[in-house]
Structure formats: structure tokens, C-alpha cells
């Protein structure tokens, strides 16, 4: 089976690493000359709206999937005429726009921060008067890793901020005084079979994920699954869908969803029976899903900007390095390490050892 992937970054690369043993081959559509997934499949180097290359991709592959959500809606609509596309155009439409995803949470009675659609500076000021400060202003689309957002703490922060974010449609959210951030990676097959990985506790710095630790029997696991299940069923979703939640007052508030494999699920390559990458491919290909059970205690440390010398990472026991083969650049995700240990005390020691290399 040949899989077409829109986007050729590290998520595409890890999909190919998981799918190759299943007998799958891959073609990646990505305009970047140095797309790091290209080493593991065919690289169609073209813009996402280049219809000639989209048609070529559709003709060559059995189905198309995505490794990022900011794909233009027209691209998905065009491809869908010729080849099965998973997740669906509707799932992407909702997940790529913060207003649509928060509205969906609200409609499905999933707690989420107070929010308002912002189309102008005057609209921002009116919404601040309503929601109050602190608050967070985010561009509705295309934001990632803390880009395209600003925390507003005082009146001075509000002045000129709509223009600062590019005068594009934005969402104002009430600031959530969370006690923790957790994510749930879910997978739903073409036949509706659904599985969930254990909740992961995430630590961000400057909006970028730094550390994910997979939990054991988290008290909020059932609640997170309940919320996620509502979204999966509503969308008739196929593939991996990641949910980011704030932990607040002993409950959860949904922050966002990502319609793809997710950075907080990278630990599953070594830390779960079947990784999020393999399960995404199983789901879109109509295969039975694999077990999402944890194997030992796991954590993932992101390498941002640069990967420490390989020999140093390799010297840490229980450590698995994933070097994405990307050029090093400040703020860019260029690799990660998964630590998988038999007990949580050892895991804590290993996390400190790897973080000391960063
Ligand atoms: P996001 O791009 O929405 O995932 O936001 C990036 C990070 O900013 C989150 O992981 C949080 O640490 C923080 N953040 C985003 N939205 C809020 C909010 N409404 N209240 C508090 N912190 C937030």
C-alpha cells in the first residue's frame, strides 16, 4: 500500500519509519527542498495548492493523510475527488481554526476557556471588557509552538495588539490558572473502533513542548476519554487525534485538538505496544488497531534548536535518540529522546541526565 502524506517534516518521517515494516511505501508533498521525510520516501516538491502535483500524488497512492493541519481547505477538497483522504476535510476544517474547535467543544458540553472571535482592535477591547484580564489573544489559524499568540495582562498589553498579531482573525481566551497541562492521544479506525493512550503530562517553555511524561492510571483518564470520545464520534473521525487539556480545579478544560500524530505522543514509539504512528496508519488504512497499552515508564525530552552530540545521548541508559536530520535553528524541533525504564524513580533520574545535555 502506498500512502501519500501532505507535509514532509519529522511527523511524516516517523510515519514512514512505522509504516515501512507494514509493507507500506510513502510519497510526501512538501515545497521545502530539505523536507526531512524525503529520506524515507518519494518527495513531490510542490506547493500545497499545486493541482498538477496534487493530481500526480492522488494517482500514485492508495490514500492521502496529513502531518500538519494548516493545509488549505481547497487542497483537501481537490484531493478528495480522486483518492480517499483521512482525516476528512470536515475534521481538518474544524481542527485548523481555533474558533471552530472551541465552538465544537462548547456544543459538545466539553469545558473550555471563555472565548470570543476577534476581527478588529475595537472588537478586542470590547471582548477584554467582557472576558477580563489576564487573557490570551491567539491567531485563529496557523499558530504553533506559541507563535501567533500573546498573553494580555494589563490595559497596556491590549493597545495595538490586534495589529501586532497581523490584523488577522483572532480568538481571545480567558487565561486559565491551570495546575498542569495534559494531553490525550486518541485513535479511531474506519470502522469506528476507538482507543486511547494513557494521559501524558506536558511541560512547555515559551509555548514549546519540552517534556512529556506518560502517566499511570491518571485520575482524569476516564474524563479525558469521555470528552475525546464525543469529538471523535461527532466528526466520524479516522486516524490519530490529539487533545490538549488544562488541569484546573480537579477537572479538565479543553485547549485544542490536533488532527494528526502529536509531539506529546512520540514516547509511544518505545513506550507503548503500538506507537501513535503505526496506529494512525492502521486507522487510515482500515486495519485493526494496535494496543495502546504502556510498556514500562516513559518520558520524552524534546531537542529544540540542536541535538546534543549523539555519543552523549547514547551514553544515557534507557535512552532512545530520534534525530530528525533537520538543519539546526533556534526554536526549531530537531530531535527528541524517549526514556523508557522499569520504574518511575529511574525514569526521573534519566530525565535529569538527558536534560543536562540540552
Ligand atoms: P496553544 O498554542 O494554544 O497550545 O498554547 C501554547 C501554550 O500557551 C499552552 O500549552 C499553555 O501553556 C499556554 N496557554 C495557551 N492558552 C492558554 C490559556 N487560555 N490560559 C493559560 N495558558 C494558556
Amino acid at each position: 500500500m502506498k500512502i501519500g502524506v501532505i507535509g514532509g517534516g519529522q511527523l511524516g518521517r516517523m510515519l514512514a519509519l512505522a509504516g515501512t515494516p507494514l509493507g507500506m511505501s510513502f510519497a510526501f508533498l512538501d515545497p521545502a527542498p530539505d523536507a526531512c521525510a524525503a529520506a524515507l520516501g518519494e518527495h513531490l516538491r510542490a506547493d500545497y495548492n499545486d493541482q498538477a502535483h496534487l493530481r500526480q500524488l492522488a494517482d500514485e497512492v492508495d490514500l492521502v493523510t496529513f502531518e500538519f493541519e494548516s493545509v488549505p481547505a481547497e487542497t483537501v477538497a481537490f484531493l478528495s475527488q480522486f483518492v480517499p483522504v483521512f482525516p476528512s476535510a470536515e475534521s481538518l476544517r474544524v481542527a485548523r481554526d481555533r474558533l471552530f474547535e472551541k465552538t465544537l467543544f462548547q456544543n459538545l458540553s466539553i469545558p473550555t476557556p471563555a472565548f470570543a472571535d476577534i476581527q478588529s482592535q475595537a472588537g478586542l477591547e470590547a471582548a477584554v471588557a467582557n472576558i477580563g484580564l489576564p487573557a490570551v489573544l491567539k491567531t485563529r489559524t496557523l499558530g504553533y509552538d506559541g507563535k501567533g499568540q500573546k498573553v494580555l495582562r494589563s490595559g497596556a498589553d491590549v493597545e495595538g495588539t490586534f495589529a501586532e498579531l497581523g490584523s488577522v482573525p483572532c480568538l481571545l481566551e480567558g487565561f486559565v490558572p491551570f495546575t498542569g497541562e495534559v494531553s490525550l492521544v486518541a485513535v479511531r479506525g474506519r470502522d469506528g473502533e476507538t482507543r486511547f493512550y494513557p494521559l501524558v503530562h506536558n511541560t512547555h517553555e515559551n509555548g514549546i513542548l519540552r517534556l512529556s511524561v506518560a502517566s499511570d492510571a491518571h485520575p482524569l483518564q476516564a474524563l479525558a476519554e469521555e470528552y475525546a470520545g464525543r469529538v471523535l464520534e461527532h466528526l466520524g473521525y479516522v486516524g490519530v487525534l490529539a487533545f490538549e487539556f488544562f488541569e484546573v480545579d480537579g477537572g479538565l478544560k479543553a485547549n485544542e485538538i490536533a488532527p494528526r500524530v502529536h509531539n506529546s505522543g512520540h514516547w509511544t514509539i518505545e513506550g507503548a505496544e503500538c506507537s501513535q504512528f503505526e496506529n494512525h496508519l492502521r486507522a487510515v488504512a482500515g486495519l485493526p488497531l494496535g494496543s495502546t497499552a504502556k510498556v514500562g515508564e516513559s518520558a520524552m525530552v524534546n531537542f529544540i534548536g540542536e541535538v546534543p552530540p549523539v555519543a552523549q545521548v547514547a551514553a544515557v541508559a534507557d535512552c532512545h535518540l530520534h534525530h530528525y536530520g533537520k538543519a539546526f535553528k533556534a526554536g526549531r524541533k530537531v530531535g527528541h529522546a524517549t526514556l523508557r525504564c522499569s520504574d518511575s524513580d529511574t525514569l526521573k533520574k534519566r530525565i535529569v541526565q538527558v536534560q543536562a545535555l540540552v
Side-chain angles (χ1 to χ4, degrees):
M1 179 176 275
K2 189 164 180 181
I3 313 280
V5 184
I6 305 297
Q10 67 267 18
L11 301 180
R13 181 175 162 114
M14 287 185 271
L15 282 170
L17 286 167
T20 305
L22 299 180
M24 295 172 173
S25 59
F26 292 83
F28 302 96
L29 187 122
D30 192 314
D34 56 350
C36 72
L40 288 125
E42 184 186 345
H43 181 195
L44 298 182
R45 197 183 148 196
D47 284 333
Y48 297 116
N49 54 8
D50 175 335
Q51 293 199 347
H53 280 91
L54 289 172
R55 187 64 214 261
Q56 184 190 337
L57 181 73
D59 287 346
E60 276 185 24
V61 303
D62 298 291
L63 62 90
V64 170
T65 189
F66 305 91
E67 61 121 51
F68 73 114
E69 58 269 44
S70 300
V71 181
E74 309 79 60
T75 302
V76 187
F78 181 79
L79 281 168
S80 303
Q81 298 173 78
F82 310 108
V83 66
V85 177
F86 301 110
S88 68
E90 173 61 9
S91 299
L92 281 181
R93 186 189 72 83
V94 173
R96 71 194 294 275
D97 187 314
R98 294 185 191 274
L99 175 65
F100 298 158
E101 66 185 358
K102 290 232 158 50
T103 305
L104 179 65
F105 297 151
Q106 206 172 47
N107 290 343
L108 297 176
S109 305
I110 298 168
T112 194
F115 64 91
D117 184 23
I118 305 298
Q119 300 284 343
S120 66
Q121 180 66 27
L124 171 62
E125 284 161 21
V128 166
N130 195 19
I131 288 177
L133 293 178
V136 189
L137 186 68
K138 303 177 177 180
T139 58
R140 276 175 50 182
T141 61
L142 301 173
Y144 67 98
D145 288 349
K147 295 189 177 70
Q149 58 180 271
K150 185 178 173 187
V151 179
L152 311 178
R153 297 189 186 278
S154 67
D157 290 337
V158 180
E159 272 171 46
T161 298
F162 184 70
E164 210 179 295
L165 287 191
S167 299
V168 293
C170 285
L171 201 74
L172 184 73
E173 292 178 16
F175 188 89
V176 179
F178 58 79
T179 51
E181 292 189 79
V182 292
S183 57
L184 183 73
V185 174
V187 59
R188 186 172 181 277
R190 284 207 213 174
D191 61 358
E193 183 191 3
T194 301
R195 297 193 184 208
F196 303 96
Y197 287 93
L199 270 175
V200 172
H201 185 268
N202 298 315
T203 308
H204 296 84
E205 268 170 42
N206 301 322
I208 305 184
L209 182 65
R210 295 284 166 162
L211 171 69
S212 289
V213 183
S215 62
D216 268 323
H218 195 290
L220 294 170
Q221 180 80 29
L223 186 63
E225 291 186 11
E226 157 70 27
Y227 293 156
R230 287 182 207 167
V231 174
L232 292 163
E233 286 307 310
H234 176 84
L235 294 172
Y237 192 86
V238 176
V240 161
L241 183 61
F243 293 74
E244 292 186 44
F245 294 105
F246 298 125
E247 257 184 279
V248 57
D249 300 331
L252 295 172
K253 279 193 180 183
N255 175 27
E256 63 178 350
I257 49 177
R260 53 171 169 79
V261 286
H262 194 254
N263 195 171
S264 70
H266 290 359
W267 67 275
T268 62
I269 297 175
E270 290 87 9
E273 292 281 357
C274 181
S275 76
Q276 64 163 349
F277 299 97
E278 180 173 337
N279 256 335
H280 179 73
L281 293 168
R282 287 179 179 229
V284 298
L287 298 168
L289 300 182
S291 165
T292 49
K294 220 165 131 240
V295 184
E297 302 301 323
S298 286
M300 183 227 52
V301 177
N302 259 347
F303 295 134
I304 312 292
E306 61 184 305
V307 177
V310 175
Q312 289 183 16
V313 185
V316 178
D318 309 317
C319 181
H320 305 266
L321 174 63
H322 295 259
H323 192 307
Y324 304 153
K326 290 162 64 168
F328 292 172
K329 192 173 149 198
R332 195 178 203 203
K333 291 174 179 170
V334 288
H336 74 264
T338 304
L339 302 157
R340 192 192 63 208
C341 308
S342 52
D343 64 275
S344 53
D345 287 341
T346 311
L347 182 69
K348 282 183 197 134
K349 276 188 219 145
R350 299 289 183 246
I351 292 171
V352 172
Q353 281 179 285
V354 171
Q355 286 181 326
L357 304 176
V358 177

